[in-house]
Amino acid sequence: MKVLAQDKVLKIGAYVLQSRLIVGTGKYPSFELMVDAIEASGADMVTVAIGRVDLKEKTQKNLLDYLDPKRYTLLPNTAGAYNIEDALRIARLGRAAGLGDLVKLEVIGDAKTLLPDTMALLEATRILVREGFTVMPYTNDDPVMAKKLEDAGAACVMPLAAPIGSGRGIQNRMNLQFILDAVSCPVIVDAGVGTASDAAVCMELGADGVLMNTAIAASDQPVLMASAMREAVSAGRKAFLAGRMPIREYASASSPQEGLRIKS
């Protein structure tokens, strides 16, 4: 009997993750619903837009008060940064606030599409790596840039499947495959996932993980969708490890014809 493929642990820098699903914290109607959805997702890494959290406000609870740092690895992100200076400032703010050296690096180049400014992203990655950050850059689905980011010291690369919040799923499977072939660091698909089948496809193609927010938070039932995403990521990973059957041009009988006895 063939032995099942043994999965490897997902490791990003010094961080070891049990779940291959990373979730965001925005767009929920309430913090309480957010907490329930994150728990249902099974994620152990949660991203936080640190630039949108008032770290000085002590009289009211903020987002960080609802996330147990002993239970979740908090991933500060630089959402809202449109240039290198803002991205660096937000990353440094998160570290100064005690959130560690981990950062999801975003440098947006266009307000309408929210596509990344990859040249600025590459330079910001180099700077933050020199400063000791574990950098997880959000990038486009360009294998050339993915390789440059890895060479710059990125702990992983995070190509988009489709524009942020669009829910369109993978728009260019070929480019994602090229990225998987081009780099040796983990590849986390980030942005564009709309439903569970999208997440499963990402994993079936060989991605090491998926990051999502809107697909869960903007669904009719976020907790149920979070559970579906958890199962989809797990199923997609298992399918990748199992190895799919070859795609054939014509039909192939599932039962062999040799030795088949047909009574007349």
Side-chain angles (χ1 to χ4, degrees), residues 12 17 20 22-23 45 47 75-77 102-106 116 118 121 134-142 145-146 149-150 154-162 164 176 179 183 185-191 207 209-212:
I12 300 174
L17 304 181
R20 293 178 180 272
I22 304 171
V23 296
M45 177 176 279
T47 184
L75 173 59
N77 69 53
L102 192 63
V103 62
K104 179 194 169 188
L105 182 61
E106 299 180 27
T118 54
L121 177 71
T134 300
V135 182
M136 301 172 62
Y138 160 70
T139 185
N140 58 16
D141 57 352
D142 176 5
M145 180 53 64
L149 288 165
E150 180 184 34
C156 69
V157 291
M158 306 181 75
L160 54 82
I164 293 173
L176 180 57
I179 290 172
V183 302
C185 65
V187 175
I188 311 296
V189 176
D190 179 12
V210 182
L211 190 152
M212 66 183 71

mmCIF file of all heavy atoms in Angstrom, residues 12 17 20 22-23 45 47 75-77 102-106 116 118 121 134-142 145-146 149-150 154-162 164 176 179 183 185-191 207 209-212:
data_model
loop_
_atom_site.group_PDB
_atom_site.id
_atom_site.type_symbol
_atom_site.label_atom_id
_atom_site.label_comp_id
_atom_site.label_asym_id
_atom_site.label_seq_id
_atom_site.Cartn_x
_atom_site.Cartn_y
_atom_site.Cartn_z
ATOM 1 N N ILE A 12 7.209 30.416 8.750
ATOM 2 C CA ILE A 12 7.481 31.729 8.169
ATOM 3 C C ILE A 12 8.463 32.439 9.094
ATOM 4 O O ILE A 12 8.103 32.858 10.192
ATOM 5 C CB ILE A 12 6.196 32.548 8.007
ATOM 6 C CG1 ILE A 12 5.215 31.811 7.079
ATOM 7 C CG2 ILE A 12 6.512 33.936 7.449
ATOM 8 C CD1 ILE A 12 3.872 32.470 6.961
ATOM 9 N N LEU A 17 3.348 27.658 12.067
ATOM 10 C CA LEU A 17 1.891 27.737 12.051
ATOM 11 C C LEU A 17 1.282 26.344 11.915
ATOM 12 O O LEU A 17 1.697 25.560 11.066
ATOM 13 C CB LEU A 17 1.413 28.616 10.894
ATOM 14 C CG LEU A 17 1.971 30.044 10.848
ATOM 15 C CD1 LEU A 17 1.379 30.787 9.663
ATOM 16 C CD2 LEU A 17 1.688 30.787 12.135
ATOM 17 N N ARG A 20 -2.959 26.587 7.949
ATOM 18 C CA ARG A 20 -2.499 27.232 6.725
ATOM 19 C C ARG A 20 -3.470 28.336 6.276
ATOM 20 O O ARG A 20 -3.331 28.881 5.189
ATOM 21 C CB ARG A 20 -2.305 26.194 5.620
ATOM 22 C CG ARG A 20 -1.150 25.252 5.930
ATOM 23 C CD ARG A 20 -0.960 24.171 4.871
ATOM 24 N NE ARG A 20 0.162 23.320 5.254
ATOM 25 C CZ ARG A 20 1.433 23.543 4.936
ATOM 26 N NH1 ARG A 20 1.733 24.609 4.196
ATOM 27 N NH2 ARG A 20 2.391 22.744 5.321
ATOM 28 N N ILE A 22 -4.764 32.046 7.186
ATOM 29 C CA ILE A 22 -4.506 33.284 7.934
ATOM 30 C C ILE A 22 -5.688 34.204 7.682
ATOM 31 O O ILE A 22 -6.136 34.348 6.534
ATOM 32 C CB ILE A 22 -3.194 33.949 7.473
ATOM 33 C CG1 ILE A 22 -2.023 32.972 7.603
ATOM 34 C CG2 ILE A 22 -2.925 35.221 8.270
ATOM 35 C CD1 ILE A 22 -0.727 33.476 6.970
ATOM 36 N N VAL A 23 -6.217 34.811 8.729
ATOM 37 C CA VAL A 23 -7.421 35.624 8.562
ATOM 38 C C VAL A 23 -7.199 37.055 9.036
ATOM 39 O O VAL A 23 -6.341 37.326 9.878
ATOM 40 C CB VAL A 23 -8.629 35.009 9.301
ATOM 41 C CG1 VAL A 23 -8.996 33.662 8.691
ATOM 42 C CG2 VAL A 23 -8.353 34.863 10.787
ATOM 43 N N MET A 45 -2.774 32.558 13.016
ATOM 44 C CA MET A 45 -2.163 33.839 12.691
ATOM 45 C C MET A 45 -3.265 34.781 12.227
ATOM 46 O O MET A 45 -4.069 34.429 11.362
ATOM 47 C CB MET A 45 -1.082 33.698 11.621
ATOM 48 C CG MET A 45 -0.459 35.031 11.208
ATOM 49 S SD MET A 45 0.907 34.862 10.004
ATOM 50 C CE MET A 45 2.278 34.432 11.112
ATOM 51 N N THR A 47 -4.130 38.856 11.072
ATOM 52 C CA THR A 47 -3.538 40.120 10.662
ATOM 53 C C THR A 47 -4.346 41.306 11.160
ATOM 54 O O THR A 47 -5.576 41.261 11.222
ATOM 55 C CB THR A 47 -3.379 40.175 9.125
ATOM 56 O OG1 THR A 47 -2.720 41.376 8.766
ATOM 57 C CG2 THR A 47 -4.705 40.095 8.420
ATOM 58 N N LEU A 75 -0.261 39.500 13.321
ATOM 59 C CA LEU A 75 0.477 39.921 12.139
ATOM 60 C C LEU A 75 0.097 41.366 11.804
ATOM 61 O O LEU A 75 -0.892 41.600 11.107
ATOM 62 C CB LEU A 75 0.162 39.000 10.959
ATOM 63 C CG LEU A 75 0.710 39.377 9.591
ATOM 64 C CD1 LEU A 75 2.232 39.468 9.623
ATOM 65 C CD2 LEU A 75 0.243 38.378 8.531
ATOM 66 N N PRO A 76 0.853 42.351 12.312
ATOM 67 C CA PRO A 76 0.563 43.742 11.946
ATOM 68 C C PRO A 76 0.751 43.938 10.457
ATOM 69 O O PRO A 76 1.677 43.383 9.860
ATOM 70 C CB PRO A 76 1.612 44.533 12.741
ATOM 71 C CG PRO A 76 2.097 43.609 13.803
ATOM 72 C CD PRO A 76 1.995 42.231 13.228
ATOM 73 N N ASN A 77 -0.146 44.708 9.839
ATOM 74 C CA ASN A 77 0.047 45.010 8.427
ATOM 75 C C ASN A 77 0.086 46.517 8.213
ATOM 76 O O ASN A 77 -0.341 47.292 9.062
ATOM 77 C CB ASN A 77 -1.015 44.333 7.553
ATOM 78 C CG ASN A 77 -2.406 44.911 7.749
ATOM 79 O OD1 ASN A 77 -2.612 46.119 7.647
ATOM 80 N ND2 ASN A 77 -3.372 44.049 8.011
ATOM 81 N N LEU A 102 7.239 40.904 13.272
ATOM 82 C CA LEU A 102 6.505 40.365 12.139
ATOM 83 C C LEU A 102 5.689 41.468 11.472
ATOM 84 O O LEU A 102 5.048 42.271 12.151
ATOM 85 C CB LEU A 102 5.580 39.249 12.624
ATOM 86 C CG LEU A 102 4.917 38.335 11.601
ATOM 87 C CD1 LEU A 102 5.955 37.550 10.818
ATOM 88 C CD2 LEU A 102 3.953 37.383 12.308
ATOM 89 N N VAL A 103 5.693 41.508 10.133
ATOM 90 C CA VAL A 103 4.896 42.528 9.448
ATOM 91 C C VAL A 103 4.447 42.016 8.082
ATOM 92 O O VAL A 103 5.217 41.424 7.336
ATOM 93 C CB VAL A 103 5.681 43.854 9.289
ATOM 94 C CG1 VAL A 103 6.933 43.677 8.437
ATOM 95 C CG2 VAL A 103 4.791 44.947 8.705
ATOM 96 N N LYS A 104 3.162 42.224 7.808
ATOM 97 C CA LYS A 104 2.642 42.032 6.459
ATOM 98 C C LYS A 104 2.806 43.372 5.758
ATOM 99 O O LYS A 104 2.149 44.352 6.114
ATOM 100 C CB LYS A 104 1.184 41.605 6.475
ATOM 101 C CG LYS A 104 0.619 41.423 5.072
ATOM 102 C CD LYS A 104 -0.894 41.339 5.075
ATOM 103 C CE LYS A 104 -1.403 41.426 3.639
ATOM 104 N NZ LYS A 104 -2.885 41.550 3.585
ATOM 105 N N LEU A 105 3.674 43.413 4.787
ATOM 106 C CA LEU A 105 4.046 44.673 4.162
ATOM 107 C C LEU A 105 3.185 44.953 2.935
ATOM 108 O O LEU A 105 3.154 44.168 1.980
ATOM 109 C CB LEU A 105 5.518 44.636 3.762
ATOM 110 C CG LEU A 105 6.096 45.897 3.133
ATOM 111 C CD1 LEU A 105 5.995 47.085 4.091
ATOM 112 C CD2 LEU A 105 7.545 45.670 2.720
ATOM 113 N N GLU A 106 2.476 46.077 2.991
ATOM 114 C CA GLU A 106 1.687 46.543 1.862
ATOM 115 C C GLU A 106 2.138 47.955 1.491
ATOM 116 O O GLU A 106 2.248 48.810 2.358
ATOM 117 C CB GLU A 106 0.193 46.584 2.206
ATOM 118 C CG GLU A 106 -0.418 45.241 2.569
ATOM 119 C CD GLU A 106 -1.899 45.359 2.893
ATOM 120 O OE1 GLU A 106 -2.561 46.295 2.374
ATOM 121 O OE2 GLU A 106 -2.403 44.537 3.671
ATOM 122 N N PRO A 116 -0.492 46.632 -5.690
ATOM 123 C CA PRO A 116 0.725 47.089 -5.020
ATOM 124 C C PRO A 116 1.668 47.854 -5.937
ATOM 125 O O PRO A 116 1.722 47.602 -7.148
ATOM 126 C CB PRO A 116 1.373 45.789 -4.538
ATOM 127 C CG PRO A 116 0.857 44.738 -5.471
ATOM 128 C CD PRO A 116 -0.532 45.156 -5.844
ATOM 129 N N THR A 118 5.023 47.677 -6.687
ATOM 130 C CA THR A 118 6.003 46.627 -6.429
ATOM 131 C C THR A 118 7.427 47.146 -6.271
ATOM 132 O O THR A 118 8.215 46.559 -5.522
ATOM 133 C CB THR A 118 5.957 45.562 -7.533
ATOM 134 O OG1 THR A 118 6.105 46.181 -8.811
ATOM 135 C CG2 THR A 118 4.641 44.805 -7.488
ATOM 136 N N LEU A 121 7.526 48.432 -2.852
ATOM 137 C CA LEU A 121 7.435 47.265 -1.973
ATOM 138 C C LEU A 121 8.793 46.589 -1.831
ATOM 139 O O LEU A 121 9.201 46.211 -0.716
ATOM 140 C CB LEU A 121 6.420 46.277 -2.548
ATOM 141 C CG LEU A 121 6.236 44.966 -1.807
ATOM 142 C CD1 LEU A 121 5.526 45.198 -0.484
ATOM 143 C CD2 LEU A 121 5.448 43.976 -2.661
ATOM 144 N N THR A 134 10.611 40.414 10.199
ATOM 145 C CA THR A 134 10.214 39.256 9.410
ATOM 146 C C THR A 134 9.142 39.761 8.456
ATOM 147 O O THR A 134 8.013 40.028 8.866
ATOM 148 C CB THR A 134 9.661 38.133 10.301
ATOM 149 O OG1 THR A 134 10.664 37.724 11.233
ATOM 150 C CG2 THR A 134 9.225 36.939 9.456
ATOM 151 N N VAL A 135 9.497 39.898 7.187
ATOM 152 C CA VAL A 135 8.648 40.606 6.233
ATOM 153 C C VAL A 135 7.851 39.635 5.370
ATOM 154 O O VAL A 135 8.400 38.721 4.759
ATOM 155 C CB VAL A 135 9.500 41.528 5.323
ATOM 156 C CG1 VAL A 135 8.605 42.295 4.356
ATOM 157 C CG2 VAL A 135 10.317 42.492 6.169
ATOM 158 N N MET A 136 6.540 39.869 5.328
ATOM 159 C CA MET A 136 5.620 39.101 4.499
ATOM 160 C C MET A 136 4.988 40.078 3.501
ATOM 161 O O MET A 136 3.988 40.723 3.808
ATOM 162 C CB MET A 136 4.558 38.424 5.371
ATOM 163 C CG MET A 136 5.138 37.472 6.410
ATOM 164 S SD MET A 136 3.906 36.858 7.599
ATOM 165 C CE MET A 136 2.769 35.972 6.529
ATOM 166 N N PRO A 137 5.555 40.231 2.307
ATOM 167 C CA PRO A 137 5.093 41.256 1.377
ATOM 168 C C PRO A 137 3.901 40.829 0.517
ATOM 169 O O PRO A 137 3.910 39.750 -0.086
ATOM 170 C CB PRO A 137 6.328 41.508 0.505
ATOM 171 C CG PRO A 137 7.066 40.206 0.524
ATOM 172 C CD PRO A 137 6.780 39.566 1.848
ATOM 173 N N TYR A 138 2.900 41.713 0.477
ATOM 174 C CA TYR A 138 1.760 41.542 -0.423
ATOM 175 C C TYR A 138 2.150 42.078 -1.792
ATOM 176 O O TYR A 138 2.488 43.252 -1.934
ATOM 177 C CB TYR A 138 0.544 42.305 0.131
ATOM 178 C CG TYR A 138 -0.520 42.617 -0.896
ATOM 179 C CD1 TYR A 138 -1.305 41.594 -1.434
ATOM 180 C CD2 TYR A 138 -0.748 43.923 -1.313
ATOM 181 C CE1 TYR A 138 -2.281 41.880 -2.375
ATOM 182 C CE2 TYR A 138 -1.728 44.216 -2.248
ATOM 183 C CZ TYR A 138 -2.495 43.202 -2.775
ATOM 184 O OH TYR A 138 -3.460 43.480 -3.714
ATOM 185 N N THR A 139 2.101 41.210 -2.798
ATOM 186 C CA THR A 139 2.590 41.587 -4.117
ATOM 187 C C THR A 139 1.607 41.157 -5.203
ATOM 188 O O THR A 139 0.563 40.556 -4.915
ATOM 189 C CB THR A 139 3.983 40.970 -4.366
ATOM 190 O OG1 THR A 139 4.515 41.435 -5.606
ATOM 191 C CG2 THR A 139 3.932 39.450 -4.360
ATOM 192 N N ASN A 140 1.924 41.499 -6.438
ATOM 193 C CA ASN A 140 1.086 41.037 -7.544
ATOM 194 C C ASN A 140 1.501 39.622 -7.940
ATOM 195 O O ASN A 140 2.412 39.043 -7.346
ATOM 196 C CB ASN A 140 1.154 42.011 -8.732
ATOM 197 C CG ASN A 140 2.568 42.196 -9.251
ATOM 198 O OD1 ASN A 140 3.471 41.405 -8.939
ATOM 199 N ND2 ASN A 140 2.787 43.217 -10.045
ATOM 200 N N ASP A 141 0.845 39.081 -8.949
ATOM 201 C CA ASP A 141 1.123 37.688 -9.328
ATOM 202 C C ASP A 141 2.215 37.615 -10.391
ATOM 203 O O ASP A 141 2.063 36.959 -11.429
ATOM 204 C CB ASP A 141 -0.152 36.978 -9.796
ATOM 205 C CG ASP A 141 -0.832 37.678 -10.964
ATOM 206 O OD1 ASP A 141 -0.397 38.794 -11.323
ATOM 207 O OD2 ASP A 141 -1.792 37.114 -11.524
ATOM 208 N N ASP A 142 3.327 38.246 -10.089
ATOM 209 C CA ASP A 142 4.474 38.328 -11.005
ATOM 210 C C ASP A 142 5.614 37.472 -10.458
ATOM 211 O O ASP A 142 6.172 37.782 -9.402
ATOM 212 C CB ASP A 142 4.907 39.791 -11.136
ATOM 213 C CG ASP A 142 6.154 39.963 -12.002
ATOM 214 O OD1 ASP A 142 6.623 38.976 -12.583
ATOM 215 O OD2 ASP A 142 6.655 41.101 -12.077
ATOM 216 N N MET A 145 8.982 39.428 -9.799
ATOM 217 C CA MET A 145 9.008 40.220 -8.572
ATOM 218 C C MET A 145 9.029 39.320 -7.336
ATOM 219 O O MET A 145 9.682 39.633 -6.336
ATOM 220 C CB MET A 145 7.803 41.154 -8.525
ATOM 221 C CG MET A 145 7.743 42.036 -7.278
ATOM 222 S SD MET A 145 9.263 42.995 -6.964
ATOM 223 C CE MET A 145 9.304 44.067 -8.414
ATOM 224 N N ALA A 146 8.327 38.208 -7.394
ATOM 225 C CA ALA A 146 8.327 37.278 -6.267
ATOM 226 C C ALA A 146 9.744 36.820 -5.946
ATOM 227 O O ALA A 146 10.158 36.763 -4.780
ATOM 228 C CB ALA A 146 7.430 36.081 -6.564
ATOM 229 N N LEU A 149 11.738 39.622 -4.343
ATOM 230 C CA LEU A 149 11.369 39.800 -2.935
ATOM 231 C C LEU A 149 12.017 38.734 -2.062
ATOM 232 O O LEU A 149 12.497 39.014 -0.963
ATOM 233 C CB LEU A 149 9.848 39.759 -2.782
ATOM 234 C CG LEU A 149 9.106 40.984 -3.323
ATOM 235 C CD1 LEU A 149 7.614 40.690 -3.455
ATOM 236 C CD2 LEU A 149 9.333 42.206 -2.431
ATOM 237 N N GLU A 150 12.043 37.494 -2.557
ATOM 238 C CA GLU A 150 12.719 36.432 -1.812
ATOM 239 C C GLU A 150 14.200 36.753 -1.671
ATOM 240 O O GLU A 150 14.776 36.613 -0.580
ATOM 241 C CB GLU A 150 12.539 35.090 -2.513
ATOM 242 C CG GLU A 150 13.221 33.946 -1.768
ATOM 243 C CD GLU A 150 13.130 32.627 -2.505
ATOM 244 O OE1 GLU A 150 13.160 32.630 -3.750
ATOM 245 O OE2 GLU A 150 13.035 31.590 -1.825
ATOM 246 N N ALA A 154 12.646 38.507 2.055
ATOM 247 C CA ALA A 154 11.274 38.268 2.497
ATOM 248 C C ALA A 154 11.137 36.844 3.034
ATOM 249 O O ALA A 154 11.688 35.895 2.480
ATOM 250 C CB ALA A 154 10.301 38.501 1.347
ATOM 251 N N ALA A 155 10.380 36.699 4.125
ATOM 252 C CA ALA A 155 10.191 35.382 4.735
ATOM 253 C C ALA A 155 9.222 34.522 3.939
ATOM 254 O O ALA A 155 9.212 33.299 4.074
ATOM 255 C CB ALA A 155 9.687 35.544 6.160
ATOM 256 N N CYS A 156 8.404 35.173 3.126
ATOM 257 C CA CYS A 156 7.475 34.493 2.231
ATOM 258 C C CYS A 156 7.092 35.503 1.159
ATOM 259 O O CYS A 156 7.490 36.675 1.240
ATOM 260 C CB CYS A 156 6.229 33.988 2.976
ATOM 261 S SG CYS A 156 5.144 35.307 3.560
ATOM 262 N N VAL A 157 6.347 35.076 0.175
ATOM 263 C CA VAL A 157 5.755 36.023 -0.774
ATOM 264 C C VAL A 157 4.258 35.804 -0.760
ATOM 265 O O VAL A 157 3.776 34.675 -0.589
ATOM 266 C CB VAL A 157 6.323 35.876 -2.200
ATOM 267 C CG1 VAL A 157 7.776 36.322 -2.235
ATOM 268 C CG2 VAL A 157 6.185 34.455 -2.717
ATOM 269 N N MET A 158 3.511 36.908 -0.946
ATOM 270 C CA MET A 158 2.058 36.849 -0.826
ATOM 271 C C MET A 158 1.407 37.433 -2.079
ATOM 272 O O MET A 158 0.942 38.578 -2.084
ATOM 273 C CB MET A 158 1.614 37.594 0.433
ATOM 274 C CG MET A 158 2.319 37.115 1.692
ATOM 275 S SD MET A 158 1.783 37.953 3.185
ATOM 276 C CE MET A 158 0.199 37.175 3.452
ATOM 277 N N PRO A 159 1.372 36.663 -3.161
ATOM 278 C CA PRO A 159 0.763 37.163 -4.390
ATOM 279 C C PRO A 159 -0.755 37.193 -4.295
ATOM 280 O O PRO A 159 -1.369 36.346 -3.634
ATOM 281 C CB PRO A 159 1.218 36.142 -5.437
ATOM 282 C CG PRO A 159 1.388 34.883 -4.659
ATOM 283 C CD PRO A 159 1.904 35.293 -3.315
ATOM 284 N N LEU A 160 -1.349 38.169 -4.956
ATOM 285 C CA LEU A 160 -2.802 38.259 -4.992
ATOM 286 C C LEU A 160 -3.378 37.233 -5.958
ATOM 287 O O LEU A 160 -2.754 36.872 -6.951
ATOM 288 C CB LEU A 160 -3.241 39.669 -5.385
ATOM 289 C CG LEU A 160 -2.690 40.286 -6.679
ATOM 290 C CD1 LEU A 160 -3.457 39.825 -7.899
ATOM 291 C CD2 LEU A 160 -2.715 41.802 -6.586
ATOM 292 N N ALA A 161 -4.577 36.762 -5.649
ATOM 293 C CA ALA A 161 -5.326 35.929 -6.587
ATOM 294 C C ALA A 161 -6.141 36.818 -7.507
ATOM 295 O O ALA A 161 -6.320 36.529 -8.690
ATOM 296 C CB ALA A 161 -6.248 34.974 -5.831
ATOM 297 N N ALA A 162 -6.621 37.923 -6.938
ATOM 298 C CA ALA A 162 -7.404 38.934 -7.640
ATOM 299 C C ALA A 162 -7.346 40.190 -6.769
ATOM 300 O O ALA A 162 -6.852 40.135 -5.635
ATOM 301 C CB ALA A 162 -8.847 38.464 -7.837
ATOM 302 N N ILE A 164 -7.893 43.085 -4.075
ATOM 303 C CA ILE A 164 -8.366 43.007 -2.691
ATOM 304 C C ILE A 164 -9.873 43.207 -2.617
ATOM 305 O O ILE A 164 -10.412 44.156 -3.177
ATOM 306 C CB ILE A 164 -7.664 44.077 -1.825
ATOM 307 C CG1 ILE A 164 -6.175 43.780 -1.695
ATOM 308 C CG2 ILE A 164 -8.299 44.147 -0.439
ATOM 309 C CD1 ILE A 164 -5.394 44.869 -0.995
ATOM 310 N N LEU A 176 0.473 31.983 -10.870
ATOM 311 C CA LEU A 176 0.665 31.431 -9.529
ATOM 312 C C LEU A 176 1.574 30.209 -9.589
ATOM 313 O O LEU A 176 2.464 30.044 -8.745
ATOM 314 C CB LEU A 176 -0.681 31.069 -8.902
ATOM 315 C CG LEU A 176 -0.605 30.475 -7.493
ATOM 316 C CD1 LEU A 176 0.113 31.414 -6.531
ATOM 317 C CD2 LEU A 176 -2.003 30.157 -6.973
ATOM 318 N N ILE A 179 5.103 31.319 -9.949
ATOM 319 C CA ILE A 179 5.652 31.804 -8.675
ATOM 320 C C ILE A 179 6.067 30.635 -7.795
ATOM 321 O O ILE A 179 7.152 30.631 -7.193
ATOM 322 C CB ILE A 179 4.628 32.694 -7.951
ATOM 323 C CG1 ILE A 179 4.446 34.016 -8.701
ATOM 324 C CG2 ILE A 179 5.065 32.972 -6.504
ATOM 325 C CD1 ILE A 179 3.321 34.880 -8.182
ATOM 326 N N VAL A 183 10.233 30.387 -6.518
ATOM 327 C CA VAL A 183 10.757 30.675 -5.184
ATOM 328 C C VAL A 183 10.811 29.418 -4.329
ATOM 329 O O VAL A 183 10.098 28.445 -4.580
ATOM 330 C CB VAL A 183 9.911 31.755 -4.463
ATOM 331 C CG1 VAL A 183 9.863 33.036 -5.284
ATOM 332 C CG2 VAL A 183 8.504 31.249 -4.168
ATOM 333 N N CYS A 185 10.785 29.982 -0.829
ATOM 334 C CA CYS A 185 10.124 30.399 0.404
ATOM 335 C C CYS A 185 8.631 30.090 0.310
ATOM 336 O O CYS A 185 8.111 29.820 -0.785
ATOM 337 C CB CYS A 185 10.351 31.884 0.653
ATOM 338 S SG CYS A 185 9.608 32.977 -0.582
ATOM 339 N N PRO A 186 7.904 30.120 1.434
ATOM 340 C CA PRO A 186 6.458 29.869 1.376
ATOM 341 C C PRO A 186 5.731 30.880 0.489
ATOM 342 O O PRO A 186 6.108 32.040 0.406
ATOM 343 C CB PRO A 186 6.025 30.013 2.840
ATOM 344 C CG PRO A 186 7.254 29.713 3.637
ATOM 345 C CD PRO A 186 8.385 30.267 2.825
ATOM 346 N N VAL A 187 4.681 30.397 -0.164
ATOM 347 C CA VAL A 187 3.818 31.244 -0.989
ATOM 348 C C VAL A 187 2.428 31.249 -0.362
ATOM 349 O O VAL A 187 1.771 30.206 -0.271
ATOM 350 C CB VAL A 187 3.741 30.728 -2.441
ATOM 351 C CG1 VAL A 187 2.745 31.560 -3.252
ATOM 352 C CG2 VAL A 187 5.122 30.747 -3.086
ATOM 353 N N ILE A 188 1.996 32.418 0.089
ATOM 354 C CA ILE A 188 0.693 32.591 0.721
ATOM 355 C C ILE A 188 -0.182 33.421 -0.220
ATOM 356 O O ILE A 188 0.124 34.592 -0.467
ATOM 357 C CB ILE A 188 0.803 33.308 2.083
ATOM 358 C CG1 ILE A 188 1.880 32.666 2.973
ATOM 359 C CG2 ILE A 188 -0.553 33.339 2.780
ATOM 360 C CD1 ILE A 188 1.600 31.257 3.382
ATOM 361 N N VAL A 189 -1.229 32.840 -0.745
ATOM 362 C CA VAL A 189 -2.114 33.594 -1.638
ATOM 363 C C VAL A 189 -2.904 34.601 -0.806
ATOM 364 O O VAL A 189 -3.557 34.250 0.177
ATOM 365 C CB VAL A 189 -3.066 32.663 -2.398
ATOM 366 C CG1 VAL A 189 -4.044 33.479 -3.243
ATOM 367 C CG2 VAL A 189 -2.267 31.712 -3.289
ATOM 368 N N ASP A 190 -2.838 35.854 -1.209
ATOM 369 C CA ASP A 190 -3.421 36.937 -0.417
ATOM 370 C C ASP A 190 -4.267 37.823 -1.324
ATOM 371 O O ASP A 190 -3.758 38.425 -2.262
ATOM 372 C CB ASP A 190 -2.281 37.752 0.217
ATOM 373 C CG ASP A 190 -2.784 38.919 1.042
ATOM 374 O OD1 ASP A 190 -3.991 38.983 1.317
ATOM 375 O OD2 ASP A 190 -1.952 39.769 1.407
ATOM 376 N N ALA A 191 -5.543 37.919 -1.041
ATOM 377 C CA ALA A 191 -6.490 38.818 -1.708
ATOM 378 C C ALA A 191 -7.188 38.160 -2.883
ATOM 379 O O ALA A 191 -6.566 37.478 -3.702
ATOM 380 C CB ALA A 191 -5.813 40.104 -2.195
ATOM 381 N N ALA A 207 -0.081 26.166 -3.192
ATOM 382 C CA ALA A 207 0.196 27.276 -2.285
ATOM 383 C C ALA A 207 0.387 26.746 -0.870
ATOM 384 O O ALA A 207 -0.220 25.746 -0.469
ATOM 385 C CB ALA A 207 -0.944 28.290 -2.316
ATOM 386 N N GLY A 209 -0.327 28.472 1.840
ATOM 387 C CA GLY A 209 -1.373 28.973 2.701
ATOM 388 C C GLY A 209 -2.206 30.014 1.972
ATOM 389 O O GLY A 209 -1.910 30.400 0.841
ATOM 390 N N VAL A 210 -3.269 30.463 2.634
ATOM 391 C CA VAL A 210 -4.166 31.473 2.083
ATOM 392 C C VAL A 210 -4.476 32.491 3.170
ATOM 393 O O VAL A 210 -4.708 32.124 4.329
ATOM 394 C CB VAL A 210 -5.490 30.851 1.579
ATOM 395 C CG1 VAL A 210 -6.389 31.924 0.974
ATOM 396 C CG2 VAL A 210 -5.229 29.749 0.578
ATOM 397 N N LEU A 211 -4.442 33.763 2.794
ATOM 398 C CA LEU A 211 -4.854 34.821 3.706
ATOM 399 C C LEU A 211 -6.123 35.457 3.158
ATOM 400 O O LEU A 211 -6.202 35.762 1.964
ATOM 401 C CB LEU A 211 -3.764 35.884 3.855
ATOM 402 C CG LEU A 211 -3.983 36.931 4.964
ATOM 403 C CD1 LEU A 211 -2.653 37.455 5.479
ATOM 404 C CD2 LEU A 211 -4.856 38.101 4.510
ATOM 405 N N MET A 212 -7.108 35.650 4.026
ATOM 406 C CA MET A 212 -8.365 36.255 3.587
ATOM 407 C C MET A 212 -9.005 37.041 4.714
ATOM 408 O O MET A 212 -8.755 36.797 5.898
ATOM 409 C CB MET A 212 -9.327 35.172 3.099
ATOM 410 C CG MET A 212 -9.799 34.229 4.196
ATOM 411 S SD MET A 212 -10.871 32.911 3.582
ATOM 412 C CE MET A 212 -9.713 31.897 2.677
#
